[in-house]
């Protein structure tokens, strides 16, 4: 996989054999996946896995949650959110920065929070190297409310949670959308939550997947009495 021809063939196969069969048919999304170099966001040790249908470890030893999500999951989330060019996005879990790059290509501005300082620094460098200048990568625990209390048009959780915290739902603008993978293994569902008024949110759960947990989000009690 050392030549440009090899990379482009693998990228083409990823789109045609993984992304399209998962009902990602939006031409602009497919073009983004063709143009944004996923392999640049993969750790060098795993670069050969850049286009595989799998989660890719981002740190040595595969620490919990420190992975790139599979390409088809990232693409489907991006398509289903229907992000507009004037919108602001909050991402929780920067990871490699690849999802932030995809979001940035659709939105006006992206704030991406990463709890791991080393991952945050690497992602920020990769984003800048690839010419992405409308993403702010911030070292922060995404499970905690933002101090300044801003609101966003779109919120993306790049990992799973047991439930979506109310503080995140309150950080959506009216008409804003939140995407998260919710539930427990072996079955989780993608949740797309739209804030329709000051105190009302609508939820759809269009597809199943499994994703690693984001750190520090609440877990339900496992005790039964």
């Amino acid at each position: 996989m050392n030549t440009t021809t090899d990379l482009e063939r693998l990228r083409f196969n990823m789109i045609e054999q993984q992304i399209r069969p998962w009902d990602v048919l939006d031409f602009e999304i497919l073009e983004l996946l063709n143009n944004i170099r996923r392999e640049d966001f993969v750790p060098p040790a795993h670069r050969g896995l850049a286009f595989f249908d799998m989660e890719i470890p981002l740190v040595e030893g595969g620490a919990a949650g420190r992975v790139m999500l599979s390409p088809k999951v990232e693409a489907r989330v991006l398509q289903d959110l229907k992000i507009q060019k004037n919108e602001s996005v909050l991402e929780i879990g920067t990871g490699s920065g690849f999802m932030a790059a995809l979001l940035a290509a659709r939105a006006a501005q992206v704030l991406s929070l990463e709890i791991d300082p080393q991952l945050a620094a690497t992602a920020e460098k990769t984003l800048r190297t690839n010419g992405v200048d409308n993403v702010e990568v911030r070292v922060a625990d995404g499970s905690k409310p933002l101090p300044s209390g801003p609101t966003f048009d779109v919120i993306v959780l790049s990992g799973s949670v047991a439930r979506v915290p109310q503080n995140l739902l309150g950080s959506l603008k009216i008409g804003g959308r939140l995407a998260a993978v919710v539930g427990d293994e072996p079955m989780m569902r993608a949740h797309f939550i739209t804030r329709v008024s000051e105190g009302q949110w609508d939820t759809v759960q269009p597809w199943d997947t499994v994703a690693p947990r984001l750190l520090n989000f609440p877990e339900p009690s496992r005790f039964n009495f």
Side-chain angles (χ1 to χ4, degrees), residues 177-215:
R177 291 89 65 209
L178 179 146
V181 176
V182 182
D184 296 290
E185 293 192 72
M187 181 64 70
M188 303 178 185
R189 292 194 68 85
H191 284 49
F192 292 86
I193 304 171
T194 301
R195 187 172 195 175
V196 295
S197 67
E198 192 64 33
Q200 183 180 358
W201 294 261
D202 285 347
T203 302
V204 295
Q205 303 173 28
W207 40 275
D208 298 333
T209 190
V210 174
R213 276 288 193 257
L214 289 170
L215 295 179

Side-chain angles (χ1 to χ4, degrees), residues 70-217:
S70 69
K72 67 186 182 186
V73 170
E74 293 172 322
R76 186 69 186 270
V77 167
L78 192 67
Q79 175 179 266
D80 291 0
L81 280 169
K82 298 179 173 63
I83 300 169
Q84 304 299 308
K85 289 299 290 183
N86 64 333
E87 291 187 317
S88 60
V89 178
L90 170 66
E91 181 193 24
I92 296 177
T94 311
S96 70
F98 182 68
M99 188 64 179
L102 294 175
L103 294 166
R106 302 284 286 179
Q109 192 69 33
V110 177
L111 171 61
S112 188
L113 307 183
E114 174 53 56
I115 197 170
D116 184 315
Q118 184 174 350
L119 282 182
T122 300
E124 183 168 30
K125 180 180 179 181
T126 307
L127 287 163
R128 299 297 171 259
T129 300
N130 282 269
V132 181
D133 58 8
N134 60 333
V135 175
E136 176 192 348
V137 178
R138 185 181 299 176
V139 178
D141 183 346
S143 70
K144 311 298 184 193
L146 291 172
S148 56
T151 55
F152 299 88
D153 298 293
V154 174
I155 299 175
V156 179
L157 277 64
S158 288
S160 69
V161 292
R163 63 171 67 92
V164 179
Q166 187 61 39
N167 71 280
L168 283 180
L169 297 178
S171 295
L172 285 173
K173 297 178 181 178
I174 306 300
R177 291 89 65 209
L178 179 146
V181 176
V182 182
D184 296 290
E185 293 192 72
M187 181 64 70
M188 303 178 185
R189 292 194 68 85
H191 284 49
F192 292 86
I193 304 171
T194 301
R195 187 172 195 175
V196 295
S197 67
E198 192 64 33
Q200 183 180 358
W201 294 261
D202 285 347
T203 302
V204 295
Q205 303 173 28
W207 40 275
D208 298 333
T209 190
V210 174
R213 276 288 193 257
L214 289 170
L215 295 179
N216 297 341
F217 281 81

Side-chain angles (χ1 to χ4, degrees), residues 1-44:
M1 204 185 81
N2 295 324
T3 70
T4 300
T5 301
D6 290 335
L7 289 171
E8 295 314 312
R9 176 177 53 81
L10 289 169
R11 197 187 323 279
F12 176 85
N13 290 342
M14 176 190 74
I15 293 170
E16 296 301 320
Q17 298 174 11
Q18 299 174 41
I19 308 298
R20 283 186 184 273
W22 244 50
D23 292 329
V24 179
L25 304 174
D26 184 310
F27 176 77
E28 292 184 5
I29 301 294
L30 297 176
E31 277 295 289
L32 282 182
L33 293 164
N34 191 54
N35 293 331
I36 296 177
R37 295 169 54 86
R38 180 176 171 87
E39 65 272 21
D40 289 351
F41 292 84
V42 176

